[in-house]
Amino acid sequence: MKLKHLACAFLALPLAYSCSQSGSNQSANDKANVVDTITQCYTSAFEGDSALLKLKITDSTKVEGDLVIRYAHKPKNEGIVRGEFKGDTLYVDYSFKVGEGSNEFSNPLAFLKTGSNLKMGVGVIETTLGRSYFVKGKPINFEKGKFDFSLTECK
């Protein structure tokens, strides 16, 4: 009878060991799946217009955030940006509303990162099937962009 209990105990040992190992593997996998997210805020002003850009950057390339542009003589644009960095250029889709209660619009935007600043570019935009995008083969001019965003403290 004692031999039977001893045999059961030996058979249970590998099972208990494998269960404890799978738990530690899972926590190691959880640690590997941790995503680095950085929040950065930027402000810009140009001839009475101002803008505030708040970005959440994930894994150093994926971006999501908010952009508010207050024009001196027009209603403000307010919406979200989603996109990614490709090299030193940030490409996003800007989904926004103009003023209160308006329809939602969407435009592509591009920002050139120089140091800690982001310079908004100007490019030729085309719309196909309701989606706007920069025309391939046409350069984006970052010198003509009026908003030069400076890194600032997030509030």
Side-chain angles (χ1 to χ4, degrees), residues 73-126:
H73 304 291
K74 297 183 205 174
K76 74 177 178 180
N77 292 358
E78 186 170 7
I80 58 171
V81 293
R82 285 191 184 103
E84 66 181 310
F85 276 99
K86 293 181 182 176
D88 60 355
T89 306
L90 172 60
Y91 295 95
V92 297
D93 287 320
Y94 179 39
S95 299
F96 63 98
K97 291 187 176 190
V98 178
E100 297 294 323
S102 73
N103 293 331
E104 190 167 288
F105 301 95
S106 184
N107 277 333
L109 298 176
F111 301 88
L112 181 64
K113 186 168 181 106
T114 54
S116 62
N117 290 356
L118 291 173
K119 176 76 172 173
M120 185 187 290
V122 176
V124 179
I125 296 175
E126 234 174 34

Side-chain angles (χ1 to χ4, degrees), residues 5-147:
H5 290 298
L6 189 60
C8 286
F10 280 126
L11 290 175
L13 270 174
L15 179 63
Y17 179 75
S18 68
C19 288
S20 70
Q21 291 302 309
S22 68
S24 66
N25 284 344
Q26 185 172 355
S27 65
N29 287 340
D30 290 344
K31 290 177 185 174
N33 291 333
V34 171
V35 178
D36 291 331
T37 301
I38 298 168
T39 301
Q40 293 180 331
C41 295
Y42 296 86
T43 58
S44 182
F46 181 81
E47 296 180 356
D49 300 337
S50 64
L52 173 64
L53 177 63
K54 182 176 183 179
L55 301 177
K56 289 181 186 171
I57 305 167
T58 307
D59 286 339
S60 74
T61 59
K62 304 285 185 207
V63 174
E64 188 171 314
D66 302 304
L67 175 59
V68 178
I69 301 174
R70 289 184 174 85
Y71 293 104
H73 304 291
K74 297 183 205 174
K76 74 177 178 180
N77 292 358
E78 186 170 7
I80 58 171
V81 293
R82 285 191 184 103
E84 66 181 310
F85 276 99
K86 293 181 182 176
D88 60 355
T89 306
L90 172 60
Y91 295 95
V92 297
D93 287 320
Y94 179 39
S95 299
F96 63 98
K97 291 187 176 190
V98 178
E100 297 294 323
S102 73
N103 293 331
E104 190 167 288
F105 301 95
S106 184
N107 277 333
L109 298 176
F111 301 88
L112 181 64
K113 186 168 181 106
T114 54
S116 62
N117 290 356
L118 291 173
K119 176 76 172 173
M120 185 187 290
V122 176
V124 179
I125 296 175
E126 234 174 34
T127 303
T128 303
L129 300 173
R131 178 147 165 80
S132 298
Y133 55 91
F134 288 111
V135 176
K136 291 186 185 201
K138 300 277 184 176
I140 298 170
N141 187 333
F142 293 98
E143 296 303 315
K144 284 188 176 181
K146 68 180 187 174
F147 288 116

